[in-house]
Amino acid sequence: MDRIRIVGGHRLMGAIPISGAKNAALPLMIAALLTDGTLTLENLPRLADVSQLARILANHGVDYTIEGKRIGDSEVQGQTVHLSARQIVDTTAPYDLVSRMRASFWVLAPLVARMGEAKVSLPGGCAIGTRPVDLLLMAMERLGAEIEIENGYAVAKARNGLRGADIDFPKVTVGGTHTALMAASLAHGTTVIHNAAREPEIVDLADCLVKMGAKIKGAGSKTIEISGVSRLTGARHAVLPDRIEAGTYAMAVAMTGGDVLLQGARAELLQSALDAVVRSGATVAETNEGIRVYRNGAGIQPVDVSTDPFPGFPTDLQAQFMALMTRAEGTSRITETIFENRFMHVAELARFGAHIRLDGDTAIVEGVARLKGAPVMATDLRASVSLVIAALAAEGETMVNRVYHLDRGFEALEKKLGACGAEIERLSSGG
Ligand code: EPZ
């Protein structure tokens, strides 16, 4: 199993190209199931989760081709892929495929919308909490699907097609909103989603669906209206830049000091996180090319944050911000309101010498003057990258184990950081 070795203490200087967003790429790829035309996605990141989803889609009959590289293309440039679901050959998504990635459960919506049936393994628990799918199933039922749970599978049927309805989510859910958007696009009549998620990845999916012929109004607000159409077509769409990757590197620079341009990053996609980075003492400036983050000399200031659905502080940056706060000149409080168990990184950060105490849904982080490198590992992808951030600022050597978590969501991490002066290398199995 690969490991990443980091020797801390180097300031980050240079430029980091920001990849396409994993959490936009996954629902966009799934949307290919809605049409017999070809969906072309540009700027798709090279990630383990993208390859895993491509395997799942292939099982349903999606033809997946990657455009070749051209001279002059850079290694970290996103790829262009063509997805074509001319015929759905299988409406079952089996346990061994779905259990590895929760977002693959989202195939349920387009399969039912297009084929009138789907049998999808329930995703089960994961390292950040129980993460049920009751609201996704509720949305499908509101649209007229009949759903039974049989042997660990959700079996959904809508023999006469789905019909538009009011869907009122009692809690903001990204996956629930993606599900409702995809299913309602091919339902008879009008659907209104109340309390919809407003994440930029929702807007990206809606934009792509509109290019495919869907009629959607209000994506990015709390109320989305969809007038169903009988057929969607192929389209071409570029995946939006990854705000979580950009926020992660912004926090890394705030931690080590230095000056880095996050190329292609868009500040409006992560304003609340950038505000927290600024309050910690770094400077953030928007440029034509992206976002420039720098911090010189002065210490890191403690900042309290609480995660919230967009436009609030993202739960997917909570672990990284906690890593930054471990070196603050004072005490900060970090509250997690989205997932009940997303503090797996706390014990690992303590291995660097961080002082963190948990009090219910809040981590109380008492900043320390120095961190010291250590062997560490983590059980989810954002937690893993928080350990990388701590390691970049720690004295001496850190070995990050279980690197496959990082490969799920960070494209060319060690190359991007290495190019900015970090001492970081990947050691392959046995290396
Ligand atoms: C998406 O997960 C993201 N995943 C997550 O990113 C992200 O942390 C999360 O949204 C919140 O922003 C992808 O986009 C692939 P939710 P999702 O439905 O859609 C509860 C990462 O690291 N809930 O918005 O699964 C749920 O338990 C990942 O990239 C129900 O109770 O999240 C949670 O408490 C991790 N019933 C809250 O809602 C349901 O049916 C929000 O979850 C669905 C969700």
Side-chain angles (χ1 to χ4, degrees):
M1 218 180 285
D2 288 4
R3 293 173 299 164
I4 285 184
R5 177 177 166 272
I6 297 169
V7 179
H10 302 276
R11 295 157 76 76
L12 295 171
M13 303 290 290
I16 296 180
I18 297 303
S19 298
K22 168 180 84 82
N23 288 350
L26 301 178
L28 287 167
M29 290 169 69
I30 290 173
L33 289 168
L34 288 164
T35 174
D36 59 3
T38 300
L39 180 63
T40 299
L41 295 176
E42 296 168 4
N43 198 32
L44 200 72
R46 291 176 186 77
L47 297 172
D49 272 10
V50 166
S51 315
Q52 173 65 9
L53 181 58
R55 278 190 284 277
I56 291 167
L57 294 175
N59 179 60
H60 296 301
V62 177
D63 187 26
Y64 183 87
T65 47
I66 304 175
E67 262 185 26
K69 264 212 236 157
R70 300 276 173 273
I71 292 168
D73 285 355
S74 90
E75 204 181 343
V76 287
Q77 211 160 34
Q79 43 190 357
T80 297
V81 302
H82 306 284
L83 297 104
S84 177
R86 214 168 306 284
Q87 260 195 328
I88 306 281
V89 297
D90 193 339
T91 55
T92 297
Y95 174 76
D96 56 332
L97 291 177
V98 176
S99 58
R100 288 195 229 160
M101 186 181 30
R102 191 183 146 80
S104 49
F105 187 76
W106 301 346
V107 300
L108 183 96
L111 287 174
V112 176
R114 183 159 156 205
M115 304 298 290
E117 59 167 50
K119 181 176 170 190
V120 181
S121 172
L122 293 165
C126 76
I128 62 175
T130 48
R131 300 181 78 190
V133 289
D134 55 324
L135 300 176
L136 283 67
L137 298 179
M138 177 278 279
M140 292 303 294
E141 282 176 338
R142 293 288 304 149
L143 294 169
E146 285 168 24
I147 298 177
E148 307 271 355
I149 305 297
E150 284 171 16
N151 310 322
Y153 281 78
V155 181
K157 289 184 186 136
R159 293 283 183 231
N160 301 316
L162 297 170
R163 16 167 236 281
D166 265 22
I167 301 172
D168 198 346
F169 286 114
K171 186 174 193 176
V172 176
T173 155
V174 172
T177 307
H178 282 317
T179 294
L181 268 177
M182 287 193 266
S185 291
L186 281 183
H188 304 287
T190 301
T191 297
V192 181
I193 307 175
H194 303 277
N195 199 25
R198 290 179 282 164
E199 270 64 7
E201 294 76 21
I202 298 286
V203 179
D204 208 35
L205 174 66
D207 285 349
C208 179
L209 291 172
V210 167
K211 289 179 191 165
M212 294 165 73
K215 296 203 163 68
I216 300 171
K217 280 194 286 197
S221 75
K222 283 189 169 182
T223 309
I224 307 180
E225 191 180 307
I226 305 123
S227 305
V229 295
S230 57
R231 188 170 172 268
L232 294 171
T233 62
R236 191 176 187 97
H237 184 80
V239 180
L240 96 167
D242 196 320
R243 63 194 169 102
I244 304 302
E245 187 194 26
T248 298
Y249 291 130
M251 288 164 193
V253 178
M255 181 79 162
T256 62
D259 190 342
V260 171
L261 175 67
L262 305 171
Q263 288 167 326
R266 283 167 41 195
E268 78 275 14
L269 305 183
L270 74 158
Q271 203 54 61
S272 62
L274 292 178
D275 289 348
V277 167
V278 168
R279 280 188 283 141
S280 80
T283 306
V284 171
E286 276 189 80
T287 77
N288 292 340
E289 286 177 83
I291 302 172
R292 181 179 160 211
V293 183
Y294 53 100
R295 185 174 72 80
N296 295 316
I300 298 167
Q301 297 309 304
V303 180
D304 296 345
V305 297
S306 176
T307 63
D308 250 324
F310 191 84
F313 188 96
T315 173
D316 291 347
L317 284 171
Q318 180 256 108
Q320 298 89 314
F321 197 72
M322 193 182 299
L324 172 61
M325 287 297 105
T326 61
R327 286 282 314 279
E329 295 174 337
T331 302
S332 57
R333 296 170 66 84
I334 298 180
T335 304
E336 172 60 53
T337 70
I338 310 287
F339 293 110
E340 82 269 23
N341 189 24
R342 207 173 196 181
F343 281 134
M344 308 300 279
H345 42 285
V346 167
E348 293 300 301
L349 288 171
R351 297 173 56 76
F352 292 95
H355 288 179
I356 308 171
R357 185 161 54 81
L358 284 179
D359 179 10
D361 63 358
T362 299
I364 298 148
V365 188
E366 219 181 285
V368 294
R370 62 177 60 85
L371 300 178
K372 289 201 174 143
V376 289
M377 66 166 84
T379 44
D380 91 84
L381 111 101
R382 311 303 176 185
S384 300
V385 86
S386 79
L387 305 177
V388 171
I389 292 180
L392 291 172
E395 289 171 5
E397 182 183 290
T398 292
M399 198 67 83
V400 182
N401 296 292
R402 295 204 186 160
V403 169
Y404 59 86
H405 286 296
L406 290 170
D407 294 336
R408 289 188 47 208
F410 288 91
E411 186 173 32
L413 173 100
E414 68 274 18
K415 290 202 181 79
K416 291 183 183 186
L417 287 170
C420 290
E423 199 174 328
I424 181 168
E425 64 176 330
R426 178 182 290 254
L427 307 174
S428 44
S429 331

